[in-house]
Amino acid sequence: MTALLLVRHGSTPWTAERRLQGRTDIDLDEKGRADALALRAAIDAWAPATVVTSPLLRARSTAAALSDLEQVVDERWAEATLGEWEGRLPAEIGPDYAEWRAGRLVPPGGEPSPVLRARVEGAVNDAARRPGPVLVVTHGGTIRAVLARYVGLTADVIEPVAAPSLTAIDVQPEGAARLVTFNVAR
């Protein structure tokens, strides 16, 4: 069994505005850096042996604040593509925003949930074969996809994870998983 420490990146200038980021490559703001450093004690308690990160700058910067280990960058841990909604505010999107949050709608030009889940399934399987515990610094949508696929917690029954926060799962070689902790912010 391998512990995967799934961390959502720290806040960016768009996080405070509630602007949808998707694959837009934005770095952390000062609050995001400070919050990531504050989360480090919780990460250190797990003593991760490996760090895997999304290629997006906000995830890589968070990983650097959380660990001095070399980062393994894996494209499959990137956030879902949000198509025409990237850079937009929920108020601009209207009622479709709530439908998307509940997992019942894909933004125009966005990445469908089955595609995202298949992508993260491969990433989880590869991460679980690395020396563990494995710190995975990624994104809220990606963490929701992992929880839906491995633990059965779908977007319509869970709140989005905080930026930054730790959600840990134990993954067995045959693909079974168990939720250990959810949305720990410090």
Side-chain angles (χ1 to χ4, degrees):
M1 186 168 343
T2 303
L4 296 186
L5 314 175
L6 305 171
V7 171
R8 180 180 177 202
H9 61 80
S11 66
T12 73
W14 283 15
T15 306
E17 298 174 8
R18 296 193 64 220
R19 194 170 296 280
L20 298 179
Q21 297 173 93
R23 292 285 181 103
T24 305
D25 204 7
I26 303 166
D27 202 358
L28 301 177
D29 57 19
E30 288 307 311
K31 180 180 181 334
R33 289 181 202 293
D35 289 347
L37 287 171
L39 186 61
R40 185 165 180 154
I43 300 303
D44 286 346
W46 285 85
T50 305
V51 177
V52 178
T53 184
S54 156
L56 298 176
L57 188 55
R58 59 192 183 267
R60 291 184 290 121
S61 293
T62 301
L66 294 175
S67 175
D68 297 326
L69 295 172
E70 182 178 344
Q71 297 177 20
V72 176
V73 176
D74 186 335
E75 174 70 30
R76 297 171 298 176
W77 288 106
E79 181 60 285
T81 301
L82 299 180
E84 295 175 18
W85 288 7
E86 290 196 18
R88 295 182 65 195
L89 299 170
E92 297 171 333
I93 296 165
D96 284 348
Y97 176 78
E99 291 297 301
W100 167 70
R101 273 285 181 213
R104 295 186 291 264
L105 185 128
V106 176
E111 185 173 12
S113 294
V115 173
L116 175 60
R117 286 185 189 160
R119 172 166 61 88
V120 299
E121 182 174 1
V124 166
N125 292 339
D126 286 350
R129 286 192 280 274
R130 295 184 177 278
V134 179
L135 172 60
V136 177
V137 184
T138 187
H139 309 271
T142 312
I143 293 171
R144 284 192 307 275
V146 170
L147 293 176
R149 162 58 184 88
Y150 286 90
V151 187
L153 292 174
T154 55
D156 60 331
V157 297
I158 60 171
E159 292 292 318
V161 292
S165 64
L166 166 65
T167 295
I169 62 172
D170 284 335
V171 180
Q172 296 179 358
E174 66 276 2
R178 177 178 67 90
L179 182 65
V180 178
T181 191
F182 176 73
N183 203 21
V184 173
R186 292 185 189 229

